Amino acid sequence: MNRRGFTTGVALGAVLMASSVVLAEGATLNVTVKWEGKPYKAKRMKNMNKECTGFHDGTPPRVAAIATNDNGTLQNVFVYVKNAPDGDYPLPSGPALLDQVGCMYVPRVQGVRVGQELRIRNSDPTAHNVHFTPKKNKEFNKSQPKKDLVETMEFKRAEIMVPVKCDVHPWMAAYVGAMEHPFFGTTREEGTAKIEGLPGGTYTLVAWHEKYGEKTLEVTVATGESKDVSLTYSRADKK
Ligand SMILES: [Cu+2]
């Protein structure tokens, strides 16, 4: 390596180290999204066609829009810090994935970074049509006629949330949040999301659910602190 290349390498290493130090020293928010009341038992889908029902051993799956967990939490809630400071936050090293499995989107709700590659895969032996209907980004509408086909896209602007639908199967729905910063997460089977590397400060934490809308929480954290916070939804929140 020539002298110039070596210098560049050292400089780049220093920058990478500096950013990881900032992330390591930042605050952590351990977010739990609670569900108040009885667990929600979704009905089985009535409108799933025969071919797709066949991918589920002939029994249609439950409607996926509202899913509660046995530990009293709610799934598929996108949580994010609203007023995060501007920064040059590195993108994740790998792409995000929106899969189509059994004529359902997996995951149903997720966040990706602006400029991050989002792969859209058809894991079903049938045709899907992936249709993003954003307001601030460009519309994306592509058919995926065969199993294992992969399309890629990326968002140019931050947008919460971008609906995704399949023009072949009207029950299919997904929501993708495009974020300028890494301070977000989505609740799954544990009902929790971890936000790490947040600079100390006072923030508005926002929770978004497709049927129950938004909740907000003011949170103050110090650099290096790890804080447990929670937001609570109930049936009364239905939009
Ligand atoms: Cu489809």
Side-chain angles (χ1 to χ4, degrees):
M1 192 183 286
N2 64 29
R3 193 181 174 85
R4 200 187 173 105
F6 179 74
T7 311
T8 309
V10 168
L12 183 63
V15 168
L16 289 173
M17 216 169 6
S19 63
S20 62
V21 166
V22 168
L23 287 177
E25 286 178 353
T28 301
L29 290 178
N30 302 299
V31 186
T32 301
V33 177
K34 294 181 181 166
W35 173 254
E36 194 178 275
K38 276 192 219 154
Y40 185 93
K41 185 95 169 170
K43 294 197 171 71
R44 293 198 180 275
M45 279 186 219
K46 287 203 177 88
N47 58 346
M48 185 178 265
N49 67 13
K50 211 171 168 188
E51 183 189 29
C52 291
T53 303
F55 302 150
H56 298 269
D57 296 328
T59 306
R62 295 185 188 281
V63 175
I66 302 167
T68 60
N69 298 314
D70 289 343
N71 67 354
T73 59
L74 182 61
Q75 285 185 33
N76 287 331
V77 178
F78 183 65
V79 293
Y80 65 97
V81 171
K82 196 172 185 178
N83 52 333
D86 290 340
D88 194 10
Y89 304 111
L91 291 179
S93 51
L97 176 68
L98 179 63
D99 207 349
Q100 296 153 103
V101 186
C103 301
M104 313 267 281
Y105 286 114
V106 180
R108 187 176 179 94
V109 177
Q110 69 178 309
V112 303
R113 293 285 304 280
V114 168
Q116 182 184 9
E117 182 183 320
L118 173 59
R119 290 189 184 162
I120 303 144
R121 184 169 73 200
N122 182 1
S123 293
D124 289 328
T126 192
H128 290 297
N129 185 91
V130 192
H131 192 172
F132 288 66
T133 53
K135 293 198 167 78
K136 297 176 186 165
N137 287 281
K138 250 171 69 181
E139 189 181 10
F140 178 95
N141 189 0
K142 292 217 165 139
S143 71
Q144 290 192 298
K146 282 187 184 144
K147 189 174 190 292
D148 295 329
L149 288 177
V150 176
E151 294 283 342
T152 62
M153 63 92 75
E154 64 174 65
F155 293 101
K156 302 279 187 219
R157 291 188 189 86
E159 184 168 351
I160 300 167
M161 302 286 287
V162 178
V164 186
K165 58 181 185 166
C166 173
D167 294 331
V168 183
H169 306 116
W171 61 85
M172 290 178 70
Y175 299 87
V176 183
M179 302 297 292
E180 293 280 12
H181 60 70
F183 310 119
F184 61 86
T186 308
T187 63
R188 307 290 181 208
E189 282 79 7
E190 298 299 319
T192 57
K194 194 176 210 166
I195 293 172
E196 292 177 288
L198 191 61
T202 297
Y203 298 104
T204 303
L205 184 68
V206 184
W208 176 98
H209 184 274
E210 64 176 280
K211 296 289 183 196
Y212 293 123
E214 282 189 1
K215 301 261 173 192
T216 60
L217 182 71
E218 296 301 308
V219 185
T220 299
V221 277
T223 297
E225 187 183 7
S226 179
K227 195 167 203 166
D228 296 343
V229 295
S230 66
L231 300 111
T232 304
Y233 282 90
S234 73
R235 275 168 202 263
D237 293 318
K238 193 139 189 181
K239 288 192 276 192

